[in-house]
Amino acid sequence: MALPPSGRRVTIHDVAARAGVSQPTASLVLSNHPRARVAPATRQRVLDAAAELGYRPNVVAKSLASRRSFALGVIVPDVRNPFVADVITGAERVAADAGYAVLLCDQSARDVRQHLDVLRARQIDGVLLDAVGASTLPDEALAGVNVVLIDEPSERWPGIATDAVMAGRLAADHLLELGHTEMAFIGPASDVHAFRMRERGFVVRLREAGIAMRSARLRRAPATVAGGRDAMRLLLATGPRPTAVFCANDLMAIGALKQALTVGLSLPADLSVVGCDDIELARYVTPELTTISVPARELGARAARLLLQLIEQSTQRVSASRLLPVRLVTRGSSGRAPAAVA
Amino acid sequence: MALPPSGRRVTIHDVAARAGVSQPTASLVLSNHPRARVAPATRQRVLDAAAELGYRPNVVAKSLASRRSFALGVIVPDVRNPFVADVITGAERVAADAGYAVLLCDQSARDVRQHLDVLRARQIDGVLLDAVGASTLPDEALAGVNVVLIDEPSERWPGIATDAVMAGRLAADHLLELGHTEMAFIGPASDVHAFRMRERGFVVRLREAGIAMRSARLRRAPATVAGGRDAMRLLLATGPRPTAVFCANDLMAIGALKQALTVGLSLPADLSVVGCDDIELARYVTPELTTISVPARELGARAARLLLQLIEQSTQRVSASRLLPVRLVTRGSSGRAPAAVA
DNA sequence: TTGTAAGCGTTATCAG
DNA sequence: CTGATAACGCTTACAA
């Protein structure tokens, strides 16, 4: 009873016909439903027929019927940020292993709300939000979707985050140990939680050490290399020069570092620069960048796993959302504080 | 006649009921079909009803019925490669503007064949293949899908490519002008067209200038920073040192540059290094990297536009696939050949 | 254990 | 111009 699929793609109907069973039975077998009790012989016939015909299920039809798309949305500020690319890589890997596709949603293409609307229209099973300021979104924007926030702890939504406060503290500790007292911070103006916490950890630790940071030493700029460069320029133009700068991420730190070199400072003799993230690039600038290592891929992978658990309502407890640890990586851009300050 | 959608998402049925028209009529209006002739009054009633109910079309249902997913697959070797991230950004932007979603397919998650199978199962409307060696795929792997190849000219599939041969020639010209005669090339072993052409352009131009490159000066390694570093190490360990190296991409060039510095060479006095791509990072290493600028975003954007044209069978001629131009960007990593060679 | 019947939310093809 | 009626390919009760 070989139904030669004349041009048409082979559907589950064809498989059922060839196996001599009803179409729903074929479905039961092919979607290997957990509580589907089908006779071994029947099952085998169906499987054979499917193999012989080269049957490939149609995910769209499956989605419509089951109201699940087997797809995850990943909303990020910018894929070109290496840290973000790492997060995505970790998430995609986990998603792919679980049979889920990943819809890439970059804020440079659409804003977060629009992305969410689009994803909803596609019956997306879940969404990962990475550093897009979810807390600033109106509640209804996220209503009705499974969401996991990355690096942005929240009361309403589950998430996976890194120990951002600790990142700031480690940076502060490192610079304090090197004898610095004139410190500055460069961070983005945006409302991204992790950046705020890195700043807080840094400032609080300094305060604990009896060092207050003057407001002129707290600069805001876009979280890019250009932003870091500009912020450093302003920093050097205003008042007495700091001897150490902590930046909210490595991109800004690299900008700051380059700017310092450009105006003739020598690093780390005149100025120490510490970044955060430990992107690959941090090792390729000169001097190599001292930074706080943050497990980006792991972050993405865990977030994806958590999201899948949410979606599949697995009974097993969702992994306690401890903060992922960060650690100091000492390289050439930081050193002892200069003896005398201008 | 307000049908309060009790919990259920509002469907086109609800809209039709509220507007007092049949459901297919509502569909005609809401999908603003080109050749659908609906009475203005009716149309308005439908639109009002949709607005009042907050109707959002279900893309999955639409896909099943229309056999189009309104989604594009983008298969890339690695999102973490900054050049690739740029290509993706360009493509996603175009896709989003046209109402298409982008499924990210990274080779680190699955291999190309598997990605293609998955995409087909999702009734993907088209696929962008970036530097994944499409020519090595069996024909049936790409059968039945709209495909646009990026940077890999082919007889069978349309594509957008950059002038890779010219990139190699420009690098050669630049180094020849600087008086170099002892040249080397570092490139990947993989079968990626653009890389091969860059190499060919380089080698051919040298040959035209009467300079033959000895095989020991042609090193193969993975197209990463680590690969470039390793290749440079071997290069320096074997025979007389070259005075100039052209690398198939910036990542390798940066690795090569770092390795040269590590063993105490001074750049560009002892050695000139030229990369290719002009990724942002090229400006952040020290010395800054001389490289061949390749319009990555434009490449992705054009490829996406071409793919959309293919999909929508628009009668307008597909943009003649001229090679996108590349240009030399001279920075600090290249300089005059040293007077005497070891 | 298996088959029947009824959707899932659209689009598409027709009559009226 | 509009409205039945039938797909699209699959899942999920519910019967047999």
Side-chain angles (χ1 to χ4, degrees):
Chain A
M1 288 301 145
L3 276 185
S6 53
R8 251 182 50 253
R9 274 191 49 182
V10 15
T11 76
I12 202 168
H13 280 99
D14 303 324
V15 175
R18 180 176 243 261
V21 302
S22 76
Q23 178 265 311
T25 299
S27 169
L28 242 38
V29 172
L30 293 173
S31 55
N32 54 276
H33 208 86
R35 57 196 172 79
R37 302 154 62 64
V38 78
T42 315
R43 153 180 302 272
Q44 197 53 51
R45 279 214 312 289
V46 172
L47 292 175
D48 289 348
E52 287 159 23
L53 292 169
Y55 168 70
R56 320 252 65 184
N58 179 326
V59 178
V60 176
K62 182 178 180 174
S63 295
L64 182 57
S66 64
R67 277 169 285 259
R68 308 214 1 220
S69 60
F70 303 95
L72 265 32
V74 179
I75 307 186
V76 299
D78 189 351
V79 216
R80 289 168 302 180
N81 179 323
F83 184 81
V84 169
D86 270 343
V87 171
I88 293 175
T89 301
E92 198 205 341
R93 181 59 191 268
V94 169
D97 287 351
Y100 283 72
V102 165
L103 298 199
L104 181 62
C105 305
D106 193 304
Q107 282 197 71
S108 67
R110 287 195 187 98
D111 73 27
V112 181
R113 314 261 322 249
Q114 292 175 316
H115 273 305
L116 284 166
D117 285 346
V118 169
L119 292 175
R120 226 189 309 258
R122 290 183 176 269
Q123 311 217 120
I124 201 80
D125 290 337
V127 174
L128 249 33
L129 289 180
D130 181 12
V132 292
S135 54
T136 67
L137 291 173
D139 283 12
E140 73 268 20
L142 287 172
V145 285
N146 289 310
V147 170
V148 164
L149 304 184
I150 295 182
D151 245 344
E152 183 171 3
S154 143
E155 300 278 303
R156 359 175 33 89
W157 311 107
I160 303 283
T162 56
D163 197 343
V165 170
M166 181 56 76
R169 294 187 71 89
L170 289 177
D173 279 340
H174 176 61
L175 294 171
L176 288 169
E177 273 173 27
L178 291 170
H180 292 275
T181 55
E182 301 299 314
M183 316 254 207
F185 175 83
I186 298 178
S190 72
D191 217 11
V192 174
H193 181 90
F195 290 143
R196 286 208 315 274
M197 291 304 107
R198 290 171 183 183
E199 173 178 346
R200 176 172 307 174
F202 184 70
V203 172
V204 167
R205 179 68 190 89
L206 291 189
R207 197 181 303 143
E208 287 172 8
I211 296 178
M213 207 169 63
R214 13 163 89 157
S215 63
R217 293 242 174 105
L218 210 162
R219 315 293 322 193
R220 310 236 164 263
T224 62
V225 175
R229 182 177 13 76
D230 296 346
M232 180 57 102
R233 183 184 301 126
L234 291 172
L235 203 53
L236 295 177
T238 323
R241 200 176 76 215
T243 64
V245 181
F246 173 50
C247 299
N249 76 6
D250 285 345
L251 293 178
M252 307 188 85
I254 288 165
L257 179 151
K258 290 292 281 187
Q259 178 62 22
L261 294 175
T262 299
V263 302
L265 294 182
S266 101
L267 270 62
D270 299 327
L271 181 74
S272 289
V273 174
V274 175
C276 191
D277 280 349
D278 195 20
I279 60 180
E280 195 187 3
L281 170 47
R283 290 193 301 274
Y284 304 142
V285 291
T286 308
E288 298 186 10
L289 186 67
T290 291
T291 187
I292 313 296
S293 171
V294 177
R297 282 184 73 169
E298 180 66 15
L299 188 59
R302 287 222 196 180
R305 271 194 285 269
L306 177 55
L307 184 53
L308 290 175
Q309 288 179 5
L310 244 54
I311 291 168
E312 299 180 345
Q313 302 280 16
S314 57
T315 50
Q316 57 187 349
R317 285 297 292 140
V318 154
S319 62
S321 91
R322 266 196 3 270
L323 296 177
L324 299 192
V326 298
R327 62 170 223 284
L328 174 71
V329 178
T330 307
R331 299 205 183 93
S333 70
S334 60
R336 294 214 60 79
V341 183
Chain B
M1 286 297 153
L3 275 185
S6 53
R8 250 180 53 250
R9 274 191 48 181
V10 14
T11 76
I12 202 169
H13 280 100
D14 303 324
V15 175
R18 180 175 241 263
V21 302
S22 79
Q23 178 267 311
T25 299
S27 170
L28 240 39
V29 173
L30 293 172
S31 55
N32 55 279
H33 208 85
R35 57 194 174 80
R37 302 154 60 67
V38 171
T42 314
R43 155 181 302 273
Q44 196 53 54
R45 280 215 313 287
V46 172
L47 292 175
D48 290 347
E52 288 159 22
L53 260 33
Y55 168 71
R56 320 253 64 185
N58 180 328
V59 178
V60 176
K62 183 177 179 174
S63 295
L64 181 58
S66 64
R67 275 171 286 263
R68 306 211 6 218
S69 60
F70 304 95
L72 266 33
V74 179
I75 307 187
V76 300
D78 189 351
V79 217
R80 289 167 303 179
N81 179 324
F83 185 81
V84 168
D86 271 342
V87 170
I88 293 176
T89 301
E92 198 205 341
R93 182 59 191 269
V94 168
D97 287 351
Y100 283 71
V102 165
L103 297 199
L104 180 63
C105 304
D106 193 305
Q107 283 197 71
S108 67
R110 287 196 187 96
D111 73 28
V112 181
R113 316 263 321 251
Q114 292 175 317
H115 274 306
L116 284 166
D117 285 345
V118 169
L119 291 175
R120 224 187 310 256
R122 290 183 176 269
Q123 311 218 121
I124 202 79
D125 291 337
V127 175
L128 248 35
L129 289 180
D130 181 13
V132 292
S135 56
T136 67
L137 291 173
D139 284 12
E140 72 269 21
L142 287 173
V145 284
N146 289 309
V147 170
V148 165
L149 304 183
I150 296 182
D151 245 346
E152 182 169 5
S154 143
E155 299 279 303
R156 355 174 39 87
W157 311 107
I160 302 283
T162 56
D163 197 343
V165 170
M166 181 57 75
R169 294 187 72 88
L170 289 177
D173 279 340
H174 175 61
L175 294 172
L176 288 168
E177 273 173 26
L178 290 170
H180 292 274
T181 55
E182 300 298 315
M183 316 253 207
F185 174 82
I186 298 178
S190 73
D191 217 10
V192 173
H193 182 89
F195 290 143
R196 284 208 316 273
M197 292 304 108
R198 289 171 184 183
E199 173 177 347
R200 176 172 308 175
F202 184 70
V203 172
V204 167
R205 179 68 190 89
L206 292 189
R207 196 180 304 141
E208 287 172 8
I211 295 178
M213 208 170 62
R214 13 162 89 153
S215 63
R217 292 245 172 102
L218 209 161
R219 315 295 320 196
R220 308 238 164 262
T224 61
V225 175
R229 181 176 14 77
D230 295 345
M232 180 56 101
R233 183 183 300 128
L234 291 172
L235 203 53
L236 296 176
T238 322
R241 202 176 74 215
T243 64
V245 181
F246 173 50
C247 299
N249 76 6
D250 285 345
L251 292 178
M252 306 187 87
I254 288 165
L257 180 151
K258 290 293 280 186
Q259 177 64 23
L261 294 175
T262 299
V263 302
L265 293 182
S266 100
L267 268 59
D270 299 327
L271 180 74
S272 289
V273 174
V274 175
C276 191
D277 281 349
D278 194 20
I279 59 180
E280 194 186 4
L281 171 47
R283 290 193 301 276
Y284 304 142
V285 291
T286 308
E288 297 185 10
L289 186 67
T290 292
T291 186
I292 311 297
S293 171
V294 177
R297 281 182 73 168
E298 180 65 16
L299 188 59
R302 289 224 194 177
R305 272 194 286 270
L306 176 56
L307 184 54
L308 290 174
Q309 287 179 5
L310 244 53
I311 291 169
E312 298 178 348
Q313 302 279 18
S314 58
T315 51
Q316 57 186 349
R317 286 296 294 140
V318 154
S319 62
S321 92
R322 266 195 5 269
L323 296 178
L324 299 192
V326 299
R327 64 171 222 283
L328 174 72
V329 178
T330 308
R331 300 206 182 92
S333 69
S334 60
R336 295 214 60 79
V341 183

